[in-house]
């Protein structure tokens, strides 16, 4: 019976394989034909990309030909304007479907023994080739495509690009060779990208331990690669000096002209109005006009763009007034990025003759345009701004929100850690309704192979869910870790794949952080229990015992095997793709630049702060003063029955906080991220809103706030006068709540925003902790 079952199972499996082959076109021993009408260099680029990418995954080699073979499968690349290819007519177009004739559009169709890739233009041929590569079922010795394939599509948005800055600020690009950039340009194009943006000339002056060639040379090489793949080449060129300085202005124009002359391809120059830069548009616009005159000398079709980032209302009005009065033809359009006026307003005010491009920040998690909403503080303090951050579902929604006001985007990226986000933006820029999971399975099929494709796509979604809600309560983190551990075991051939390594790093790091958080927070609770016994133990002994407890996290690691795995994956990523996860080990420019390895053990309890506070307490003049301060610390998060505490930026410890603002999980970033300040003080909001109910109607309450700067409190809409008001860092402010306001058992607490536009964000007011204390 057992043998019979095995036989039947074998027959079923074989039947499945035979069915797959019967329903698919095999490209084994295929011949490639390319229409002479496909312009150079795409005539060479498209078949090269097709052949090389399939060969990497199957070891197949395709034969180029100049005529139809007598037998066998043919891959035919042509333009939609071709009526025939070497005497054979192109397949008839679907009725009413003109996608393959629209700019960059293509049709992919299997017609008997021929796989046709028909592009509207050179890019259409490349993007059609990319579609085939994403959908082929590739294995050793074979590549299969469904016989029913007949797809015609064209992009919705004409601008779909990403900034790849070869500079030390980036956490990986500066370590790449020309060959690595070549491969990345190719892979972006396979997923529908049609533009790459480089960075400014002034980076040449900055030393970099990772550069393989000087930045000035790489800028030109990037132009050559854009020419090879027919991608638009943008260059982001901020003006960081006063344009009123005639000498510096002339020198800048000379720098531009020198670059324009050397660069083999250049399509767009983008000058941000601010971030960086601080010039009035009355100076910026004439400068742009002069740039355009230099630009078209060497690149007649190239365009100039500007952003309104950092512009005041007066400066913005001046800009639009200038357009209305002069209608300059040298300006192509406006870029909207962080710090720009609202995108809907920009499109409304911008004359129709000008294009509107988004400059979305897809690379950062905090202190950025699109922070992770509801991010746990433990992640914000360890993963920081530039961790591996696949956010396919979040960014699909963000793209859907803003894209209709634009002609497309070129994203802001500071490293390959946001690779999945790039693909999502490119694919949704092509088709805004494309299913996110379909994008992910295209991604995983192409980069990880058919076997891992479905599971890895689910695993990426699980990693995004790791970042939702309170970390301690998110049991899915452990499940995601187990899932990825199983994938790693099942797919050993992917060990050196940098994209695979990046996802494994996140799975391990998230789990390690969660285990540490549970462990270290429990140690602090035990320490607070000791501080409650100060009367019995004495202040000195209580402090020593409490500190011993919280410091146990440094002596007894709760997950050493995960810690070792993270170390290894960071080393592997530095080797495979130049990802710099440490200042000391990998020469990253700064701790903010994706240095997750340097923060992997950053305290997730307040042991550093407690050590410093205990030194201050030991110096207090009396035992009673010491006991009072230790009581404040012990009851910080547990103020007693009938009283309430909220860490306003913690999804775990701020249940009454209703606001979700742009700075809701922002990090103060003191001491390069290694601040010894209380953890709650390092994350903040400017104007939190809190709601309380079930209050005792006849009780007296006090609102207490810890933060810095101003806190303009309103309770039930009524401004209250403080009884204590310290503007110092971690200073305490207090207000007595009038009894008339608690008669309904509820309170609504808000804060007016102080006028601080003249201050750098680091110096603006912050609120971190809020109490409602029953007296």
């Amino acid at each position: 019976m057992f043998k019979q079952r095995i036989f039947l199972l074998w027959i079923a499996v074989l039947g499945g394989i035979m069915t797959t082959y019967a329903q698919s076109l095999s490209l084994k021993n295929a011949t490639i034909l390319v229409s002479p009408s496909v312009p150079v260099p795409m005539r060479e680029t498209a078949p090269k990309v097709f052949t090389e990418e399939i060969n990497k995954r199957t070891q197949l080699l395709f034969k180029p030909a100049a005529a139809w073979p007598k037998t066998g499968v043919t891959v035919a690349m042509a333009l939609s304007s071709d009526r025939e290819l070497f005497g054979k007519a192109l397949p008839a177009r679907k009725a009413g479907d003109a996608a393959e004739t629209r700019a960059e559009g293509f049709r992919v169709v299997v017609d008997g023994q021929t796989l046709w890739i028909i592009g509207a233009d050179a890019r259409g041929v490349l993007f059609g080739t990319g579609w085939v590569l994403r959908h082929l079922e590739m294995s050793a010795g074979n590549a299969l495509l469904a016989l029913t394939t007949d797809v015609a599509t064209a992009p919705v948005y004409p601008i779909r690009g990403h900034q790849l800055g070869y500079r030390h600020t980036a956490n990986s690009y500066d370590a790449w060779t020309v060959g690595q950039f070549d491969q990345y340009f190719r892979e972006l194009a396979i997923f529908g990208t049609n533009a790459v943006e480089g960075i400014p000339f002034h980076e040449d002056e900055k030393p970099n331990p990772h550069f393989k060639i000087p930045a000035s040379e790489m800028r030109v090489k990037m132009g050559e690669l854009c020419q090879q793949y027919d991608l638009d080449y943008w260059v982001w060129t901020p003006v960081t000096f006063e344009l009123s300085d005639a000498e510096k202005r002339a020198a800048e124009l000379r720098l531009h002209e020198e670059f324009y002359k050397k660069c083999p391809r250049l399509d767009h120059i983008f000058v941000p109005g601010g971030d960086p830069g601080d010039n009035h548009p009355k100076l910026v616009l004439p400068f742009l006009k002069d740039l355009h005159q230099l630009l078209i000398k060497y690149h007649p079709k190239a365009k100039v763009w500007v952003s309104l980032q950092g512009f005041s209302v007066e400066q913005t009005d001046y800009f639009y007034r200038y357009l209305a009065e002069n209608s300059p033809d040298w300006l192509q359009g406006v870029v909207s990025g962080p710090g720009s006026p609202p995108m809907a307003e920009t499109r409304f005010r911008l004359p129709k003759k000008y294009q509107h491009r988004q400059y979305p920040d897809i690379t950062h998690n905090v202190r950025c345009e699109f922070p992770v909403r509801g991010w746990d503080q433990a992640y914000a303090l360890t993963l920081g701004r530039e961790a591996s951050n696949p956010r396919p579902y979040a960014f699909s929604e963000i793209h859907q929100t803003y894209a209709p006001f634009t002609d497309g985007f070129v994203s802001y990226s500071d490293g390959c850690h946001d690779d999945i986000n790039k693909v999502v933006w490119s694919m949704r820029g092509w088709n805004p309704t494309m299913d996110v999971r379909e994008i992910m399975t295209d991604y995983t099929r192409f980069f990880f192979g058919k076997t891992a494709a479905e599971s890895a796509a689910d695993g990426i979604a699980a990693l995004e869910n790791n970042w939702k809600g309170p970390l301690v309560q998110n049991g899915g983190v452990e499940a995601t870790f187990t899932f990825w551990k199983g994938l790693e075991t099942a797919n050993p051939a992917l060990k050196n794949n940098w994209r695979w390594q990046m996802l494994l790093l996140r799975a391990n790091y998230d789990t390690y952080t969660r285990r540490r958080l549970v462990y270290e927070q429990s140690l602090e609770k035990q320490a607070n229990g000791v501080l409650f016994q100060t009367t019995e133990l004495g202040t000195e002994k209580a402090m020593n015992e409490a500190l011993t407890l919280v410091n146990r996290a440094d002596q007894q690691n709760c997950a050493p095997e995960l810690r070792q795995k993270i170390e290894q994956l960071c080393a592997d990523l530095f080797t495979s793709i130049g990802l710099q996860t440490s200042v000391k080990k990998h020469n990253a420019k700064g701790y903010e630049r994706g240095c997750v390895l340097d923060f992997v053990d950053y305290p997730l309890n307040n042991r550093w702060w407690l050590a410093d506070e205990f030194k201050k307490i030991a110096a207090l003049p009396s035992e009673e003063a010491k006991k009072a301060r230790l009581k404040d610390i012990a009851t910080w998060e547990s103020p007693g029955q009938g009283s309430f505490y909220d860490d306003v930026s913690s999804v775990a410890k701020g249940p009454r906080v209703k606001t979700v603002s742009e700075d809701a999980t922002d990090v103060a970033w003191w001491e390069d991220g290694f601040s010894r300040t209380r953890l709650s003080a390092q994350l903040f909001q400017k104007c939190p809103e809190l709601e309380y109910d079930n209050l005792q109607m006849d009780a007296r309450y006090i609102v207490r706030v810890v933060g810095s700067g101003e806190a303009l409190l309103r309770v039930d809409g009524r401004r209250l006068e403080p009884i204590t008001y310290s503007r110092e860092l971690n200073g305490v402010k207090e207000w007595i709540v009038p009894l008339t306001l608690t008669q309904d058992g509820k309170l609504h607490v808000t804060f007016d925003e102080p006028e601080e536009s003249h201050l750098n964000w680091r110096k603006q007011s912050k609120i971190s902790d809020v109490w409602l204390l029953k007296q």
Side-chain angles (χ1 to χ4, degrees):
M1 180 64 72
F2 177 76
K3 290 183 178 180
Q4 184 180 10
R5 287 177 179 172
I6 293 296
F7 177 76
L8 292 173
L9 177 62
W10 182 80
I11 290 295
V13 170
L14 181 61
I17 294 173
M18 295 302 291
T19 300
T20 299
Y21 271 83
Q23 296 174 346
S24 303
L25 179 72
S26 172
L27 300 187
K28 190 174 183 178
N29 300 320
T31 297
I32 295 184
L33 285 180
V34 184
S35 170
S37 61
V38 176
V40 174
M42 192 56 68
R43 198 183 309 161
E44 290 82 28
T45 299
K48 180 181 179 184
V49 169
F50 188 81
T51 299
E52 291 180 354
E53 293 304 316
I54 293 177
N55 177 258
K56 291 174 187 176
R57 295 159 174 82
T58 66
Q59 291 75 56
L60 293 175
L61 284 173
F62 300 118
K63 299 169 289 185
W68 289 94
K70 294 181 179 179
T71 59
V73 172
T74 302
V75 178
M77 298 180 176
L79 295 182
S80 59
S81 56
D82 292 328
R83 293 185 177 181
E84 59 178 36
L85 178 59
F86 299 118
K88 185 172 183 178
L90 271 64
R93 194 178 305 153
K94 290 181 180 179
D97 191 346
E100 68 195 78
T101 66
R102 299 200 299 269
E104 301 185 351
F106 63 83
R107 184 181 180 196
V108 174
V109 58
V110 174
D111 183 17
Q113 290 291 94
T114 303
L115 167 60
W116 288 92
I117 301 174
I118 305 168
D121 45 32
R123 284 183 180 172
V125 174
L126 180 62
F127 293 140
T129 300
W131 188 97
V132 173
L133 291 172
R134 300 198 312 268
H135 289 84
L136 279 173
E137 184 179 312
M138 291 185 269
S139 58
N142 212 346
L144 305 173
L145 190 66
L147 287 171
T148 56
T149 299
D150 190 349
V151 175
T153 178
V156 172
Y157 293 98
I159 306 171
R160 306 177 307 281
H162 304 284
Q163 188 181 84
L164 308 178
Y166 186 69
R167 56 177 178 171
H168 200 14
T169 302
N171 60 36
S172 48
Y173 302 141
D174 57 340
W176 289 7
T177 63
V178 174
Q180 285 173 305
F181 272 110
D182 186 339
Q183 182 63 31
Y184 203 60
F185 279 37
R186 172 185 295 190
E187 289 164 351
L188 289 175
I190 286 170
F191 282 87
T193 298
N194 70 357
V196 167
E197 187 168 76
I199 48 84
F201 321 112
H202 311 90
E203 299 294 330
D204 294 347
E205 305 164 6
K206 301 178 181 179
N208 189 317
H210 303 293
F211 276 175
K212 301 302 186 289
I213 62 174
S216 56
E217 292 181 29
M218 187 62 84
R219 280 199 307 273
V220 174
K221 292 291 184 182
M222 290 174 75
E224 293 173 356
L225 292 174
C226 284
Q227 184 73 0
Q228 178 182 336
Y229 292 103
D230 194 18
L231 305 177
D232 278 4
Y233 187 27
W234 293 66
V235 178
W236 175 78
T237 59
V239 180
T240 56
F241 60 91
E242 292 292 333
L243 281 169
S244 56
D245 188 321
E247 187 175 336
K248 289 182 178 180
R249 188 182 190 278
E252 185 75 4
L253 289 172
R254 287 193 296 272
L255 274 177
H256 276 258
E257 184 169 16
E258 183 181 349
F259 171 59
Y260 299 164
K261 192 185 304 182
K262 291 179 180 177
C263 199
R265 174 168 185 159
L266 193 55
D267 300 278
H268 305 275
I269 293 295
F270 163 36
V271 178
D275 193 21
D278 190 24
N279 284 288
H280 195 282
K282 66 184 178 183
L283 297 175
V284 173
L285 294 168
F287 178 71
L288 295 182
K289 184 177 181 180
D290 290 348
L291 280 185
H292 184 257
Q293 290 303 310
L294 295 175
L295 182 61
I296 59 175
K297 281 173 58 178
Y298 307 98
H299 305 278
K301 296 182 180 180
K303 313 296 183 183
V304 171
W305 297 67
V306 67
S307 74
L308 312 185
Q309 290 170 274
F311 277 12
S312 66
V313 173
E314 181 274 327
Q315 291 172 327
T316 302
D317 287 345
Y318 177 94
F319 172 78
Y320 286 114
R321 190 163 59 251
Y322 179 94
L323 295 189
E325 293 172 358
N326 299 279
S327 189
D329 291 330
W330 51 261
L331 181 68
Q332 180 67 16
V334 168
V335 176
S336 286
S340 290
M343 296 189 66
E345 174 191 315
T346 299
R347 183 63 275 176
F348 177 76
R349 297 187 70 178
L350 191 64
K352 290 184 179 180
K353 69 178 285 186
Y354 301 110
Q355 287 185 293
H356 184 206
R357 191 206 100 182
Q358 190 177 3
Y359 184 30
D361 180 357
I362 66 171
T363 205
H364 295 132
N365 308 310
V366 290
R367 295 191 303 287
C368 60
E369 186 177 17
F370 304 118
V372 180
R373 297 301 177 93
W375 216 27
D376 195 282
Q377 287 180 332
Y379 285 140
L381 295 170
T382 54
L383 284 169
R385 278 191 103 201
E386 293 178 8
S388 169
N389 63 345
R391 297 170 60 191
Y393 290 90
F395 275 124
S396 292
E397 291 181 7
I398 290 168
H399 177 269
Q400 188 175 22
T401 299
Y402 296 105
F405 303 111
T406 75
D407 297 286
F409 67 90
V410 177
S411 76
Y412 172 35
S413 170
D414 258 335
C416 60
H417 64 284
D418 58 20
D419 182 66
I420 286 173
N421 302 335
K422 291 190 186 80
V423 166
V424 168
W425 277 80
S426 292
M427 289 275 84
R428 296 281 283 205
W430 186 285
N431 177 4
T433 64
M434 188 173 183
D435 181 73
V436 179
R437 193 172 189 283
E438 182 183 351
I439 296 172
M440 288 298 92
T441 52
D442 275 10
Y443 181 92
T444 54
R445 186 190 304 111
F446 182 72
F447 290 118
F448 305 146
K450 178 181 181 294
T451 302
E454 295 288 335
S455 296
D458 291 336
I460 290 168
L463 288 174
E464 184 171 13
N465 286 332
N466 276 6
W467 282 5
K468 294 180 179 178
L471 180 53
V472 169
Q473 299 173 25
N474 190 348
V477 172
E478 290 284 351
T480 299
F481 169 68
T482 302
F483 186 80
W484 274 102
K485 196 172 181 180
L487 281 178
E488 182 181 17
T489 301
N491 297 277
L494 294 171
K495 179 181 179 181
N496 296 321
N497 182 311
W498 67 264
R499 291 177 169 90
W500 189 255
Q501 293 168 346
M502 197 91 72
L503 296 169
L504 287 176
L505 175 60
R506 266 290 311 285
N508 282 270
Y509 202 107
D510 290 358
T511 306
Y512 181 63
T513 302
R514 183 176 184 272
R515 292 183 187 179
R516 280 207 309 124
L517 181 62
V518 172
Y519 173 52
E520 295 183 21
Q521 292 281 310
S522 70
L523 293 179
E524 185 165 349
K525 288 181 181 178
Q526 295 174 49
N528 286 333
V530 170
L531 295 181
F532 275 116
Q533 303 173 44
T534 298
T535 301
E536 296 83 1
L537 297 174
T539 55
E540 183 176 355
K541 186 175 182 181
M543 288 190 290
N544 288 338
E545 289 189 11
L547 207 54
T548 298
L549 276 167
V550 291
N551 284 340
R552 190 178 295 169
D554 293 324
Q555 282 83 47
Q556 299 176 17
N557 192 299
C558 65
E561 71 290 346
L562 286 178
R563 178 65 176 80
Q564 184 178 0
K565 181 69 172 180
I566 291 166
E567 186 98 27
Q568 183 59 56
L569 285 167
C570 287
D572 292 344
L573 281 160
F574 183 63
T575 299
S576 62
I577 201 63
L579 186 68
Q580 299 139 39
T581 56
S582 172
V583 171
K584 294 179 180 178
K585 293 192 174 186
H586 305 141
N587 284 312
K589 182 180 181 182
Y591 291 101
E592 192 174 20
R593 300 298 172 186
C595 292
V596 295
L597 185 58
D598 291 335
F599 294 99
V600 68
D601 293 316
Y602 184 77
L604 297 180
N605 63 25
N606 287 297
R607 59 185 180 273
W608 287 2
W609 178 75
L610 286 173
D612 295 343
E613 288 299 306
F614 287 171
K615 288 179 183 178
K616 297 175 186 176
I617 292 170
L620 292 175
S622 69
E623 192 71 5
E624 290 306 311
K626 294 175 184 179
K627 288 180 180 179
R629 180 56 181 154
L630 289 176
K631 182 181 178 182
D632 287 342
I633 292 173
T635 60
W636 190 285
E637 296 182 8
S638 303
Q641 188 173 359
S643 295
F644 307 90
Y645 165 77
D646 288 271
D647 176 346
V648 301
S649 291
S650 172
V651 290
K653 298 178 180 180
R656 283 156 290 274
V657 180
K658 303 303 176 185
T659 40
V660 180
S661 63
E662 289 304 312
D663 62 351
T665 53
D666 219 334
V667 185
W669 196 249
W670 296 312
E671 307 297 329
D672 281 333
F674 292 100
S675 173
R676 296 176 65 88
T677 305
R678 187 175 178 89
L679 299 184
S680 62
Q682 296 182 48
L683 295 98
F684 55 85
Q685 289 193 35
K686 292 180 181 179
C687 306
E689 176 183 350
L690 301 92
E691 291 184 357
Y692 301 87
D693 55 19
N694 296 319
L695 302 181
Q696 186 175 325
M697 290 183 288
D698 59 349
R700 171 72 71 186
Y701 290 92
I702 286 179
V703 175
R704 176 184 295 165
V705 166
V706 164
S708 62
E710 306 294 343
L712 308 179
L713 175 75
R714 287 185 185 271
V715 177
D716 289 348
R718 178 175 167 183
R719 277 286 289 272
L720 302 185
E721 292 298 319
I723 55 173
T724 301
Y725 202 84
S726 170
R727 295 181 176 85
E728 298 300 316
L729 180 63
N730 295 325
V732 175
K733 304 174 180 70
E734 290 185 342
W735 299 259
I736 298 174
V737 179
L739 288 173
T740 55
L741 298 181
T742 56
Q743 294 306 298
D744 59 355
K746 300 178 181 179
L747 281 182
H748 183 212
V749 171
T750 58
F751 294 85
D752 293 343
E753 183 171 2
E755 169 47 46
E756 297 178 327
S757 58
H758 58 290
L759 296 177
N760 180 278
W761 71 268
R762 291 176 176 82
K763 296 181 179 180
Q764 291 176 357
S765 298
K766 300 172 177 62
I767 294 172
S768 56
D769 305 80
V770 178
W771 292 261
L772 183 66
L773 301 172
K774 179 185 172 186
Q775 299 303 293

